Amino acid sequence: MKVLKFGGTSVGSAASIRNVKNIISEVSGNKLLVLSAMSGVTNELVSLSEMLRNRKLEELPDRIEILRLKHYDLIDELIAEASYNLSIKKNIALQIDDLMAICKKEWSKEVDAKIITTGERLLTSIFSAYLNFESVENTLLDARDFMHISNLENPDTGLVGELFNESLKKAKESSIVITQGFVRLDAERKLSTLKRGGSDYTATILGAAIRATQIQIWTDINGLHNNDPRFVENTHPVSQLSFEEAAELAYFGAKILHPQTISPVIGKNIPVYLKNTFTPGATGTCISAIAEKKGLKAISAKDEITAIKIKSNRMLMAHGFLKKIFEVFDTYETSIDMITTSEIAISLTIDDTSNLDLILAELDHYGEISVDTNHSIICVVGEGLIEDRGSSRIFEILQDVPVRMISYGGSNNNISLLVDTRNKIEVLQKLNEKLFVHQLNSVNS
Ligand code: ASP
Ligand code: MG
């Protein structure tokens, strides 16, 4: 079985959805389709949930009504035949009524999850009905029956696989199975999510769970680019990456992939293809076990990074100091991304600041603390980068921009720089010049 994920703008209009139907008809064998919500819908649901939380209830009914009409319009454009059209609208009406009812409750995490996952339920229902109308047999499965993910970082794909097969056995047989991305049940079997953008992660968790032959993630750009196209001109898609290279890039900000996407498939060796729904013929990016080419591949940037420095004379020649520092972060389940040390100080970065005050209060016992917010990690990735003499050009950036931390040699395929976010775009552009444009010029000359 192949897993195909479509999200956002790929399912954002009737024309895109027709296009998706054509794409899947070209893919051979059994397919599991993971769909997210229509573009814009989850953002809207998140703001409805916020309104409920803040008890700002006046606008809620009208805004929900607009969502109903948006989905009705989609149905009208896709399904011309009256009886099909009516029956799917009835189904959508029930789901919208449910949403209306949930939005009258007290806000809780579970209520929030119910609200914000509604987009996936609506769209999968419409897509399945549309395929039926087009005489394409398909089976719609409810992700809540098998996406039982107690541990978000380390999902039990064995359990998910068993539950998925049970659901499949109960359903009618067909070569196309459809389910919702983003959704999960947590350790208490309560509805929750895989975090924003999590449908990619649904696809790889399911791919690992059912031992899919491949996973295709369909988006609206031609694969993973060598630099951030929002800030840098003339970027190009990278045709092949190893799992490790892609995992670093996704974690450190490549917007095309949810950060955890790659982790479930690494051990299972299932290739992941990133493709563009609007130019299906373009090569895109293939992510697989081994890097086909050595050397520099891409640069990405992750914002909202906080750097913490702990300076202490007690660290001098003492053992066990770092352990104590790390234990503080462990207690507050806060992961550390970058670390640099000197004999009397340690600097490290975190992106989750929800427990920052508590962490700082404890660190205070160990030395003098300083905190820098609004920083960005710029991550340069490529298998064997460290051995590549050309990568020394990365350090020329030190002449132009202040760099707060550098991480070199942690792995063979990554060099990371921490800079003030105000300098991020300049660093991305300059690194592009030094590393990619320069590389091309020397190849061409
Ligand atoms: N619909 C969800 C979101 O917008 C999940 C996804 O798109 O992957 O975050
Ligand atoms: Mg996405």
Side-chain angles (χ1 to χ4, degrees):
M1 204 171 211
K2 291 174 184 154
V3 177
L4 280 65
K5 180 257 164 174
F6 296 90
T9 48
S10 303
V11 288
S13 67
S16 315
I17 288 178
R18 282 196 197 96
N19 191 23
V20 169
K21 176 185 156 274
N22 293 337
I23 289 172
I24 58 179
S25 70
E26 299 282 314
V27 177
S28 60
N30 290 345
K31 284 153 273 192
L32 167 58
L33 308 187
V34 174
L35 303 183
S36 71
M38 282 179 89
S39 53
V41 168
T42 313
N43 284 349
E44 176 63 2
L45 292 167
V46 166
S47 75
L48 298 185
S49 178
E50 268 309 290
M51 288 179 186
L52 180 65
R53 187 178 193 170
N54 301 322
R55 305 303 300 163
K56 291 212 165 72
L57 306 178
E58 319 78 57
E59 279 182 34
L60 274 173
D62 286 351
R63 301 266 291 256
I64 294 176
E65 203 46 42
I66 293 172
L67 276 180
R68 181 201 304 270
L69 296 178
K70 182 178 173 95
H71 288 88
Y72 279 6
D73 285 348
L74 180 67
I75 295 171
D76 286 338
E77 283 188 62
L78 286 173
I79 305 176
E81 204 271 327
S83 69
Y84 273 103
N85 182 295
L86 203 66
S87 100
I88 180 63
K89 272 194 190 147
K90 271 193 192 155
N91 176 331
I92 296 304
L94 288 177
Q95 296 189 41
I96 294 284
D97 292 348
D98 275 350
L99 178 64
M100 218 44 119
I102 303 162
C103 286
K104 295 203 169 91
K105 294 190 175 169
E106 271 306 299
W107 190 93
S108 68
K109 275 192 171 169
E110 199 181 2
V111 163
D112 176 58
K114 281 189 179 147
I115 296 173
I116 70 176
T117 57
T118 302
E120 272 68 15
R121 278 194 294 285
L122 291 169
L123 188 78
T124 44
S125 304
I126 295 175
F127 191 80
S128 169
Y130 165 61
L131 290 190
N132 284 332
F133 161 69
E134 293 280 355
S135 313
V136 179
E137 261 207 52
N138 70 92
T139 302
L140 177 58
L141 296 185
D142 188 331
R144 290 171 294 188
D145 294 337
F146 45 85
M147 290 300 288
H148 292 192
I149 313 281
S150 312
N151 181 341
L152 204 53
E153 280 78 40
N154 195 8
D156 181 350
T157 52
L159 173 68
V160 173
E162 272 169 38
L163 295 170
F164 178 84
N165 287 330
E166 274 170 35
S167 301
L168 202 57
K169 258 188 237 152
K170 286 185 220 145
K172 78 169 192 292
E173 236 189 85
S174 69
S175 66
I176 298 177
V177 177
I178 301 170
T179 196
Q180 302 84 22
F182 191 39
V183 175
R184 70 159 173 142
L185 296 196
D186 67 12
E188 286 141 35
R189 295 287 174 265
K190 286 191 176 147
L191 189 68
S192 183
T193 71
L194 296 173
K195 300 204 177 151
R196 291 304 307 273
S199 301
D200 299 343
Y201 197 25
T202 308
T204 50
I205 292 172
L206 281 171
I210 64 169
R211 298 186 177 274
T213 51
Q214 58 170 260
I215 296 163
Q216 301 179 1
I217 296 184
W218 290 83
T219 64
D220 54 9
I221 76 171
N222 288 346
L224 201 148
H225 279 230
N226 66 322
N227 205 330
D228 194 324
R230 288 168 305 172
F231 308 122
V232 179
E233 280 174 17
N234 300 324
T235 61
H236 59 82
V238 182
S239 58
Q240 198 270 340
L241 288 166
S242 70
F243 289 130
E244 282 76 15
E245 289 173 329
E248 301 260 19
L249 289 167
Y251 186 71
F252 287 112
K255 281 281 167 295
I256 187 172
L257 276 184
H258 175 278
Q260 265 140 348
T261 308
I262 298 301
S263 60
V265 295
I266 292 186
K268 303 268 186 327
N269 198 10
I270 302 167
V272 178
Y273 296 88
L274 307 181
K275 303 273 289 174
N276 188 345
T277 333
F278 302 99
T279 52
T283 331
T285 300
C286 166
I287 304 168
S288 51
I290 294 163
E292 283 167 11
K293 257 189 5 214
K294 286 230 167 197
L296 173 70
K297 299 283 170 53
I299 304 174
S300 62
K302 185 175 175 181
D303 295 338
E304 287 176 38
I305 300 292
T306 299
I308 304 170
K309 181 159 80 192
I310 307 130
K311 195 169 154 211
S312 167
N313 288 330
R314 273 187 288 156
M315 196 173 157
L316 195 67
M317 321 265 293
H319 62 84
F321 186 82
L322 291 181
K323 177 168 177 256
K324 290 189 194 119
I325 301 287
F326 290 152
E327 268 166 6
V328 175
F329 290 87
D330 188 40
T331 308
Y332 295 103
E333 295 181 343
T334 301
S335 66
I336 298 170
D337 289 329
M338 273 176 85
I339 313 168
T340 54
T341 63
S342 78
E343 193 49 42
I344 56 153
I346 168 169
S347 273
L348 46 82
T349 70
I350 58 172
D351 69 341
D352 174 3
T353 50
S354 40
N355 289 315
L356 183 61
D357 291 345
L358 296 166
I359 291 173
L360 294 179
E362 286 206 23
L363 288 179
D364 205 41
H365 308 307
Y366 296 107
E368 204 182 298
I369 313 294
S370 57
V371 177
D372 290 315
T373 52
N374 294 326
H375 274 59
S376 299
I377 293 178
I378 312 276
C379 177
V380 184
V381 168
E383 182 74 40
L385 191 64
I386 304 284
E387 289 127 34
D388 181 351
R389 288 171 65 193
S391 55
S392 66
R393 258 178 258 117
I394 295 172
F395 300 101
E396 290 170 12
I397 202 77
L398 293 170
Q399 297 165 4
D400 307 316
V401 194
V403 174
R404 170 76 175 73
M405 283 166 71
I406 296 182
S407 171
Y408 177 91
S411 83
N412 218 3
N413 65 15
N414 169 346
I415 298 172
S416 300
L417 312 171
L418 183 73
V419 300
D420 191 311
T421 302
R422 280 175 298 192
N423 299 326
K424 175 186 80 171
I425 296 180
E426 187 186 348
V427 174
L428 287 175
Q429 290 168 346
K430 288 211 159 123
L431 285 178
N432 205 61
E433 276 288 314
K434 292 179 199 298
L435 299 173
F436 292 110
V437 179
H438 185 96
Q439 196 183 42
L440 279 184
N441 290 346
S442 51
V443 170
N444 294 340
S445 60

